[in-house]
Amino acid sequence: EIVLTQSPATLSLSPGERATLSCRASQSLSSYLAWYQQKPGQAPRLLIYDASNRATGIPARFSGSGSGTDFTLTISSLEPEDFAVYFCQQRSDWPLTFGGGTKVEIK
Amino acid sequence: QLQLQQSGPGLVKPSETLSLTCTVSGASISRSDYYWAWIRQPPGKGLEWIGNINYSGNTYYSPSLQSRVTTSVDTSKNQFSLKMSSVTAADTAVYYCARLPVVAGRVNWFDPWGQGTLVTVSS
């Protein structure tokens, strides 16, 4: 099973600041990694797929990078609605697995 | 626009079987380029993939759950379902359904998701 480790667990930032979230895989994923955003009481929403492609309707301030085992989600300038939990997920191999999540909270 | 609507009981007794249904609107569940997936999230915790099924009954299950999980598709109702047997308190979670497209023979990403159903296992 591929293990995804997200860091940090919590990121405390102010609106307008840059957020950098990390996801590290226990083995190479090529580019088969996605990022999801989850707000309280809501289902996760696909943000980034195949490491660097924004899903439909996702603002340009969200960007993804990386390949192999190290991936990054960057939010260039935090908006109030961006404070949420972010999960990474791999589709390189079965079973499909998720990272433990990073909570982006208001400082 | 594809939407997923979940239904099923929110309370299940220990040792009994959890049953949930996801109704698909805006697309045919019989499309050969879609799998239909279940994911769960214990309160305050992360996401766990349970399994997925396609219209012809091909399935993939999490190794840790496969002995207790069954999924099915009802093409006449455009629905798919999850059954999990012998539940315990550890199965208390929000359960989500989601579409899992297939591209070039490989599953893609969970999108969209159903609204989620909190299932509590308690006597």
Side-chain angles (χ1 to χ4, degrees), chain A residues 31-95:
Chain A
S31 296
Y32 297 135
L33 186 102
W35 292 92
Y36 298 85
Q37 177 194 65
Q38 186 179 34
K39 297 179 181 179
Q42 296 185 16
R45 176 176 70 146
L46 179 67
L47 287 180
I48 301 287
Y49 65 93
D50 290 347
S52 61
N53 298 288
R54 277 190 302 277
T56 302
I58 302 303
R61 64 181 181 274
F62 291 93
S63 63
S65 63
S67 65
T69 60
D70 290 301
F71 299 86
T72 301
L73 173 68
T74 302
I75 310 171
S76 59
S77 178
L78 283 163
E79 296 288 338
E81 62 268 27
D82 299 337
F83 292 92
V85 180
Y86 293 83
F87 294 97
C88 57
Q89 180 242 322
Q90 65 82 21
R91 67 175 178 107
S92 176
D93 199 7
W94 303 100

Side-chain angles (χ1 to χ4, degrees), chain A residues 31-34 36 38 42-46 49-50 87 89-96 98-100, chain B residues 39 41 45-49 52 60-63 96 100 103 106-111 113-116:
Chain A
S31 296
Y32 297 135
L33 186 102
Y36 298 85
Q38 186 179 34
Q42 296 185 16
R45 176 176 70 146
L46 179 67
Y49 65 93
D50 290 347
F87 294 97
Q89 180 242 322
Q90 65 82 21
R91 67 175 178 107
S92 176
D93 199 7
W94 303 100
L96 305 178
F98 292 88
Chain B
I39 304 109
Q41 185 174 35
K45 296 189 178 180
L47 298 162
E48 179 183 23
W49 170 70
N52 43 266
Y60 291 88
Y61 294 135
S62 168
Y96 294 100
L100 187 59
V103 178
R106 181 185 288 268
V107 295
N108 218 345
W109 309 110
F110 299 111
D111 182 53
W113 297 55
Q115 82 275 20

